[in-house]
């Protein structure tokens, strides 16, 4: 098993495409996305009930080596500032194929 | 405004279902129409209205009168956001003013559809080309709004500009937005198909149309009532703007329609288009193009105030004006 | 029970699709109708049945016969949970007995809709007010069940009561439950709209009704067959209760219907309503009001036993009794 | 291939909506039809086509001609994957060759439905039993493909075989796959119900059919255009195979149809069935039975190449051949 | 980056409204919710296939300071007892705007 | 509160039934599943837009004692090899009823 860092990102659903592009540009090789997430935060309630996904969040989990995870977190800061949301780093161990 | 018109509007099932949705939220019912069902209703409505509009357009042809009306529609969509912006600037910062201006310059497809249903109740006909007018009014305001924003925010801040959206990306957001794409695409397909080919689609595009509209407005009632609580936080100016600007936009459109000699039904639709505010095409584009603007402001105003205002009071009001001016 | 009636019922496409759904689970097919599609079907069915019922109600008016029938319906919904509770108490604790009693006192809208489809096969008419009867039977049993629970569980435990639901919250759960809200709201809107306005909705509310019912019952077949495995764990008493109490409730309703002189179709519907068990309105309310009761018990009984029992055997049985008693 | 046929095909709204979907992806529109809506459309289409086929089958009866046609359909479904496998083996490993062979031996229900819509445009009738033919062609190729895989991969590897799927599990995957189940179930229910009972379902199964087909093909356009980018990675051989093998399979089916003396409409449908590749029933089965095969290969080929190829060029081509051979 | 605690709560979907109210009353400023979660536990299988969401779970993630997280976990205990489910605390580091 | 291990599994949606069976056979008493997850990994993009869920992932979270978690991770290896995906172990503390 490998020591890895779980990077969790919750932000505006419409921003996720850009977040994925950012991750890929930083060399993250894999990630998983849950598209429909509701939430509460500084920007108020996100009910996800709008036709355009303006009040909806998405959740992304990327597992990568610890050093890369730090870089990802740093690079996300401007996006989180602009659009809101949160990024979490947690150490974990992983099994891959 | 005649009481009869108000009543005709109120007794239209889609409007009643809109009230039912609002009532459910106010009564704290757990009624909920989970996504993607409302998206399915919206997809259907855009498809049906676009397709039928296209078929009628093909049938009627692009006569000079039609071209004039389309030109007027586009002009309204370009002019409205400009004056709206300067009104809004008196109280709001550039970004929010621009986003709201774009919202009110663009149009609400659902308001348009509800307006055709109101005409149907009255037995008044309207031209299929008005769907094309609606489609043409969706995007220009987005461009105008962003242009105003860039022009004036360069002046406002010295500007630690974050990487801003390229114009090509912006045009794509404005013209290729999913719902605009379905609407315009269906319009073109309807025009290609023509009346003969449309026959086989009639039970779908016409038969079940009003029923789906009822369910969609039920959801709209839920969604806009949920936003009512947030209205208090907005402050008096946005509230006033959201209910007064439709009147101004409607009046302007009426003048234009009258001067072009549009028939009543078409004048009414142009008027509701102008009075309506977008909460489908514009919000998606604004999130990308002016991310600092607050959707809690421009979406809430369009959805929780202007939409119900137009649909409940605006329709009978605008039509009673037309009855006077056109007779 | 005549073999003809059994066959008529079996050859009704919705019932066949119910069997198809059950067969899919038994054959371990991966067939699945993911949420929220079943919710969409249910929303549509409640909307359509409510609206049509309202239109007919407006047409027929609230004659004395209608009021008597509605009164009888409410009475049944209040009486059934009481005797059900005392039967259930012989083997079950207060909370579960109360929740199951509420389940069987209330009604299943889908059973009702399937019953109207059965009548349609036979060419028997029924009154639009029966939809109102159904709507009125949804909620009272919830109140009765919770009242019984509170009365008797105070006695049972000394009671480390956790903060229990306020009555106002409970009434909201009972009367403003989402599906009750749509049903009653559509009924009222249908009554306001009346026959003329309903015309435009006919292709939606009538045309595609039976087709959607087929798809919904396909899903019901899947869902109830999935629960069959859980039946064994329930024990003999709940199994017996779930198949015998409908007979008792149906018999009681028949007596009431006969004594009121209801016509056949309406008597049949009242009878199936009384025999049916709620798995939409009641479970949601019970989770909130009696959280200690086991939904694995009351939902499974209603869904995996009583619903199929009524729909497959109950309908022809009840109708054959009516044929004898009414002739 | 006559230009008229091409045009007839292109002007069919469902095909135009397929193009619209592809255009949306190419124009980078954010248009999206979120799951489970496409699943709902597919469920509806399988339900409607199955039910209508069953009704017609009951009406026409199982005449000797019908049985011959059904036998031919099954034979094609068994033979095609065998020769496809050996062609594919020249460049691909056993597992991928087997999975692709199964894909092309089986059929695409959506292609079939689009083909019936094409016939409708031309005013050509076809027999309801062809739906049964389609249903019978779904599963055999799965069995043949897996059998070929097991036969030849034992030879290829010494084989650190991971626990492979039992045959009983495999048969279940092949015959009780959800979409096959709905199709066959609806067919049987339609046959049981017969014409009289089907009347009440007509507005659902017929009225809105073409409209739903349009929306479904809009989504198919989106989905297959999204896969186009992945085509380049596949290499030349799969590309060539995906566009050439349909021609071979269609030619074979034409010969068979001609020798059996099938009427034009039925010959055309058999031909498109044979030319089509499965992307519903087979992928699900292959993921379970041959997990090492790459779905990025067999699904992409079927979805992004063979489906558009058949629907856009194949239909007019096959039909023009029939016009020559049958006159 | 801040040291925070991830609080994960999985419980009955119908209970989530109450859980959110509880969190807000305790001063949790943000959280995210995934509404449709299936599960297996003491109370049997939750397939989420029912019309009423009686057999459905939801998932909530709240990121907050460690001390608050402990209070949240304690306050949740009666709800979890009544309705089932689970609450997890994991230390993590977060980036916010 | 108990010390536990969060076991997170992301793999092919069609494989989840088998994964659940495996977990149950190993004695895992509870788990939660999110069915619709998109992803990016070695096997390319999983958009979840196909009718058959062939290009879709699911996410499973099982909370169990640390020793059992190790056994689960080991037992999953062949499935992850065959079907792709990832398994993560993270230490946490849990409250149950
Ligand atoms: N403390 C938090 N814990 C979990 N999710 C959060 C938290 N804060 C924000 N979020 C998520 O991020 C979204 C945007 O946050 P905000 O920008 O604060 O409105 C919220 O709607 C939540 O879904
Ligand atoms: N050990 C566990 N790991 C992950 N989720 C769990 C666990 N135990 C329970 N759950 C979730 O909580 C729900 C209710 O749990 P229970 O009250 O044990 O039936 C289950 O359906 C699961 O979704
Ligand atoms: N590093 C990662 N972080 C998060 N999720 C991953 C990662 N790698 C793979 N996945 C998920 O597992 C699925 C299959 O992975 P793969 O087998 O690498 O294609 C992907 O589609 C993702 O959803
Ligand atoms: Na406007
Ligand atoms: Na009852
Ligand atoms: Na084929």
């Amino acid at each position: 098993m490998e020591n890895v860092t779980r990077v969790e990102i919750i932000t505006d659903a419409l921003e996720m495409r850009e977040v994925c592009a950012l991750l890929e540009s930083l060399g993250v090789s894999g990630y998983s996305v849950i598209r429909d997430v509701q939430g509460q935060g500084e920007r108020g309630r996100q009910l996800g009930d709008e036709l355009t996904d303006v009040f909806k969040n998405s959740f992304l989990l990327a597992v990568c080596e610890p050093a890369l995870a730090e870089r990802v977190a740093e690079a996300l800061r401007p996006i989180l500032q602009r659009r809101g949301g949160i990024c979490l780093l947690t150490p974990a161990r992983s099994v891959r194929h | 405004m005649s009481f009869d018109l108000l009543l005709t509007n109120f007794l239209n099932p889609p409007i009643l279902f809109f009230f039912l949705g609002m009532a459910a939220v106010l009564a704290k019912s757990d009624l909920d129409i989970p996504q993607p069902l409302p998206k399915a209703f919206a997809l259907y409505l855009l498809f049906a209205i676009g397709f039928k509009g296209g078929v009628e357009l093909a049938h009627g042809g692009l006569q000079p009168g039609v071209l004039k009306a389309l030109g007027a529609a586009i002009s309204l969509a370009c002019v409205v956001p400009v004056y709206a912006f300067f009104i809004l600037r008196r109280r709001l910062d550039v970004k929010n003013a621009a986003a709201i201006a774009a919202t009110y310059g663009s149009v609400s497809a659902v308001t348009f559809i509800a307006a055709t249903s109101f005409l149907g109740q009255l037995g008044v006909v309207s031209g299929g080309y008005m769907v094309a007018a609606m489609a043409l009014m969706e995007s220009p305001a987005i461009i105008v709004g962003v242009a105003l924003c860039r022009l004036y925010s360069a002046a406002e801040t010295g500007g630690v500009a974050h990487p801003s959206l390229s114009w090509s990306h912006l045009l794509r957001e404005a013209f290729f937005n999913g719902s605009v794409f379905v609407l315009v695409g269906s319009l073109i397909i309807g025009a290609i198909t023509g009346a003969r080919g449309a026959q086989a689609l009639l039970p779908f595009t016409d038969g079940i149309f009003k029923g789906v509209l009822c369910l969609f407005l039920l959801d709209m009632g839920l969604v806009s009532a949920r936003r009512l609580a947030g209205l208090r936080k907005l402050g008096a100016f946005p509230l006033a703007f959201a209910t007064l600007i439709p009147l101004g936009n409607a009046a302007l459109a009426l003048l234009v329609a009258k001067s072009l000699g549009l028939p009543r039904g078409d004048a009414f639709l142009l008027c509701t288009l102008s009075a309506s505010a977008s909460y489908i095409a514009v919000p998606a584009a604004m999130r990308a193009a002016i991310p600092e603007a607050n959707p809690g402001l421009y979406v809430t105003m369009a959805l929780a105030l202007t939409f119900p205002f137009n649909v409940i009071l605006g329709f009978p009001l605008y039509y009673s004006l037309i009855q006077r001016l056109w007779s």
Side-chain angles (χ1 to χ4, degrees), chain A residues 5-88:
Chain A
T5 299
R6 301 169 73 252
V7 182
E8 288 170 292
I9 304 165
I10 302 172
T11 190
D12 200 295
L14 297 170
E15 196 72 0
M16 267 298 153
R17 226 198 270 199
E18 218 173 295
V19 171
C20 293
L22 178 71
L23 293 190
E24 288 175 25
S25 77
L26 290 172
V28 173
S29 66
Y31 52 81
S32 301
V33 175
I34 296 172
R35 278 173 76 166
D36 293 5
V37 177
Q38 306 184 330
Q40 166 73 36
E42 273 171 32
R43 271 148 245 248
R45 197 151 290 214
Q46 313 283 330
L47 287 175
D49 61 352
E50 222 85 19
L51 277 179
T52 53
D53 296 331
V54 165
F55 294 120
K56 197 177 88 177
N57 298 317
S58 289
F59 171 96
L60 183 148
L61 170 67
V63 180
C64 54
E65 348 138 17
L68 179 53
E70 303 289 332
R71 283 204 300 284
V72 167
E74 236 15 80
L76 278 169
R77 215 180 269 274
I79 295 188
L80 296 179
Q81 253 151 23
R82 210 159 65 240
R83 292 301 189 94
I86 197 164
C87 168
L88 286 178

Side-chain angles (χ1 to χ4, degrees), chain B residues 183-250:
Chain B
L183 179 68
V184 174
S186 304
L187 188 88
I188 295 172
I189 292 177
I192 295 175
T193 306
R196 216 179 50 95
Q199 201 59 32
L201 280 165
L202 265 189
F204 189 68
T205 54
D206 268 66
I208 63 174
F209 189 80
K210 198 164 186 178
V212 179
L213 181 58
C214 286
L215 291 182
F216 185 69
L217 283 186
L218 176 62
D219 182 63
M220 290 288 300
L222 293 169
V223 173
S224 54
R226 280 184 205 130
R227 298 285 174 284
L228 282 178
L231 281 183
R232 252 168 301 155
K233 292 183 218 145
L234 297 188
F237 180 71
L239 292 194
F241 184 88
T243 43
L244 294 178
I245 196 80
L247 298 177
N249 295 348

Side-chain angles (χ1 to χ4, degrees), chain B residues 57 61-78 127-137 140 187 256 260 262 266 270 273:
Chain B
L57 198 60
L62 279 177
Q63 295 150 334
V66 168
L67 289 177
K68 265 196 289 179
L70 297 183
I74 295 179
S75 311
L76 279 169
C78 293
Y129 68 89
M130 286 310 293
V131 178
M134 165 175 62
L136 290 170
M137 288 176 84
L187 188 88
V256 171
L260 290 177
L262 293 190
D266 301 351
L270 189 69
L273 281 172

Side-chain angles (χ1 to χ4, degrees), chain B residues 103-256:
Chain B
T103 301
Y104 283 84
S106 179
V107 298
S108 152
V110 187
T111 308
F112 177 84
I113 292 170
T116 59
S117 175
F118 175 75
L119 287 182
Q121 292 282 103
L122 297 172
V124 175
V125 295
S126 64
Y129 68 89
M130 286 310 293
V131 178
M134 165 175 62
L136 290 170
M137 288 176 84
E138 295 262 10
S139 311
I142 295 171
I143 310 296
V144 173
V146 174
L148 285 167
C149 176
R150 298 207 173 163
L151 211 65
Y152 286 83
S153 56
E156 193 177 54
T157 66
V160 205
H162 70 83
S164 88
L165 210 62
S166 69
W167 277 102
S168 79
H169 188 159
L170 177 67
L171 290 171
R172 193 162 72 225
E173 289 278 348
F175 289 100
F176 293 164
N177 166 282
S179 53
V180 176
F181 210 91
V182 168
L183 179 68
V184 174
S186 304
L187 188 88
I188 295 172
I189 292 177
I192 295 175
T193 306
R196 216 179 50 95
Q199 201 59 32
L201 280 165
L202 265 189
F204 189 68
T205 54
D206 268 66
I208 63 174
F209 189 80
K210 198 164 186 178
V212 179
L213 181 58
C214 286
L215 291 182
F216 185 69
L217 283 186
L218 176 62
D219 182 63
M220 290 288 300
L222 293 169
V223 173
S224 54
R226 280 184 205 130
R227 298 285 174 284
L228 282 178
L231 281 183
R232 252 168 301 155
K233 292 183 218 145
L234 297 188
F237 180 71
L239 292 194
F241 184 88
T243 43
L244 294 178
I245 196 80
L247 298 177
N249 295 348
L252 180 62
L254 276 191
L255 290 183
V256 171

